[in-house]
């Protein structure tokens, strides 16, 4: 029997100092590097929840509010706020810290859907999610709406401008 899990049981934070190899010639970290790290944070959180192999099925939104520079400590906090039968919707919050100054800046967030796989590489059932706080319940509702809009868009029911077909 699969035991349902709380949001806290799979929450994770990954941190890494941004090095010159991650940046362009201006010292700004490439967006692709940040996307890769967001995928890794979501992977860890989803693996902790499912305790199975997981893969990214989609990243529906990524926003960069501020640049990240060489020398910044980038921290990505991932939490699962919605699960389906085989999928998990993960929010990844991204923050940069000027280590010597202690100044932290919210960089943005990403939303990923991860799918659990069985030994044969087929989608596998995941544990349910226990929502304990008002904030967790609110995030769950928001992510369900985000998921419904994404599915409607992918099925052609909503145009890219947000209007219904």
């Amino acid at each position: 029997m699969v035991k349902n899990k709380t949001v806290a049981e799979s929450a994770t934070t990954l941190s890494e100092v941004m090095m010159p190899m991650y940046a362009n010639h201006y010292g700004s970290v490439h967006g692709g590097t940040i996307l890769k790290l967001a995928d890794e944070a979501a992977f860890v959180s989803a693996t902790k929840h499912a305790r199975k192999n997981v893969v990214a099925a989609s990243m529906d939104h990524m926003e960069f509010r501020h640049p990240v520079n060489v020398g910044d400590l980038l921290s990505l906090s991932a939490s699962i706020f919605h699960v389906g039968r085989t999928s998990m919707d993960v929010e990844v919050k991204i923050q940069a810290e000027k280590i010597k100054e202690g100044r932290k800046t919210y960089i943005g967030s990403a939303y990923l859907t991860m799918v659990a796989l069985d030994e044969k590489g087929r989608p596998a059932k995941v544990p349910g999610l226990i929502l304990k706080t008002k904030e967790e319940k609110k995030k769950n509702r928001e992510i369900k709406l985000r998921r419904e809009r994404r599915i409607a868009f992918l099925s052609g029911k909503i145009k890219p401008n947000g209007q219904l077909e």
Side-chain angles (χ1 to χ4, degrees):
M1 181 174 185
V2 177
K3 177 183 161 275
N4 291 347
K5 296 183 180 177
T6 64
V7 171
E9 286 180 88
S10 60
T12 194
T13 299
L14 300 180
S15 297
E16 188 166 342
V17 175
M18 296 294 96
M19 303 301 281
M21 66 184 173
Y22 300 141
N24 61 29
H25 60 285
Y26 298 114
S28 297
V29 173
H30 292 290
T33 298
I34 298 170
L35 292 172
K36 176 184 177 291
L37 293 169
D39 181 46
E40 289 176 8
F43 168 84
V44 171
S45 185
T47 301
K48 286 172 69 174
H49 184 82
R51 299 293 179 196
K52 297 181 183 334
N53 290 336
V54 300
V55 294
S58 72
M59 179 183 282
D60 96 0
H61 184 79
M62 177 66 212
E63 181 178 310
F64 299 102
R65 293 186 179 193
H66 300 281
V68 177
N69 298 304
V70 169
D72 289 351
L73 176 64
L74 198 67
S75 295
L76 301 97
S77 300
S79 296
I80 295 173
F81 288 107
H82 178 264
V83 299
R85 193 176 68 75
T86 63
S87 66
M88 297 153 282
D89 292 304
V90 186
E91 177 186 60
V92 180
K93 292 183 179 179
I94 305 161
Q95 176 179 273
E97 179 179 353
K98 303 287 184 203
I99 301 173
K100 290 191 276 184
E101 301 167 19
R103 185 168 41 95
K104 297 178 182 179
T105 304
Y106 176 73
I107 300 303
S109 55
Y111 296 89
L112 294 91
T113 299
M114 307 298 286
V115 175
L117 302 175
D118 65 15
E119 301 78 25
K120 295 181 181 177
R122 295 183 301 226
K125 187 168 173 37
V126 298
L129 188 63
I130 300 166
L131 304 168
K132 289 188 166 187
T133 68
K134 286 182 185 178
E135 180 64 22
E136 289 173 356
K137 291 173 185 174
K138 180 181 177 216
K139 287 274 188 189
N140 177 266
R141 287 189 300 273
E142 290 170 0
I143 287 180
K144 278 184 185 177
L145 287 172
R146 179 182 294 277
R147 179 183 180 84
E148 289 169 9
R149 284 193 302 267
R150 182 178 67 247
I151 291 169
F153 173 73
L154 292 173
S155 67
K157 294 178 183 172
I158 296 178
K159 295 179 183 178
N161 63 9
Q163 295 180 348
L164 294 172
E165 282 290 323

